[in-house]
Amino acid sequence: MLSPYANSAVLASRAVKQTYKALVTELHAIHNGKLSETTRRVYNEVQEVSRLDSTDLNVLNKRFADANNYLTLLKNLRVQQELIAKYGKGELSTEQAANKVGLALPKTPGGDE
């Protein structure tokens, strides 16, 4: 007879595998499609998770949390790089920021022009 947690274990196992697949996708994007050492480690981890006893929810949950945290980090780093590429890095002056969004600062009376 199946354990009452069997379905939970199967679902947890699927979630972990999906997260690892997303990790591989992010790593491929970071390394321009090349197979890096980190990507190899993730592949090995996927194989190890596939061999785990699906009733060991504690191990699956820990693997899922670790993989999910790492995936979130990679996604946020990618988004940060995209934003820096689009908007540049560093602080803009108030006038530069206004110009960037299509606004002009009001003229100050007695200011140099």
Side-chain angles (χ1 to χ4, degrees):
M1 178 175 217
L2 285 176
S3 146
Y5 300 105
N7 288 338
S8 298
V10 169
L11 291 175
S13 178
R14 283 186 194 147
V16 171
K17 289 176 189 176
Q18 288 173 344
T19 301
Y20 278 113
K21 287 179 184 180
L23 268 173
V24 169
T25 301
E26 286 293 326
L27 288 168
H28 274 292
I30 289 171
H31 297 289
N32 298 322
K34 296 177 183 171
L35 188 63
S36 69
E37 183 60 34
T38 307
T39 309
R40 283 191 191 101
R41 279 191 243 143
V42 170
Y43 278 129
N44 291 339
E45 191 75 18
V46 170
Q47 295 303 317
E48 191 175 324
V49 167
S50 298
R51 289 187 296 266
L52 280 176
D53 181 6
S54 62
T55 59
D56 194 355
L57 284 177
N58 289 335
V59 173
L60 285 174
N61 286 337
K62 182 178 180 339
R63 297 275 174 100
F64 177 70
D66 291 345
N68 205 28
N69 288 338
Y70 190 53
L71 177 60
T72 302
L73 171 70
L74 291 177
K75 283 182 177 180
N76 289 336
L77 287 173
R78 179 179 45 80
V79 169
Q80 178 190 25
Q81 289 172 348
E82 290 171 359
L83 291 172
I84 288 172
K86 184 174 182 178
Y87 297 108
K89 189 173 183 173
E91 292 293 319
L92 298 176
S93 71
T94 305
E95 186 174 358
Q96 289 171 327
N99 289 337
K100 187 165 258 203
V101 297
L103 300 173
L105 293 179
K107 305 280 189 238
T108 56
D112 294 336
E113 293 188 37

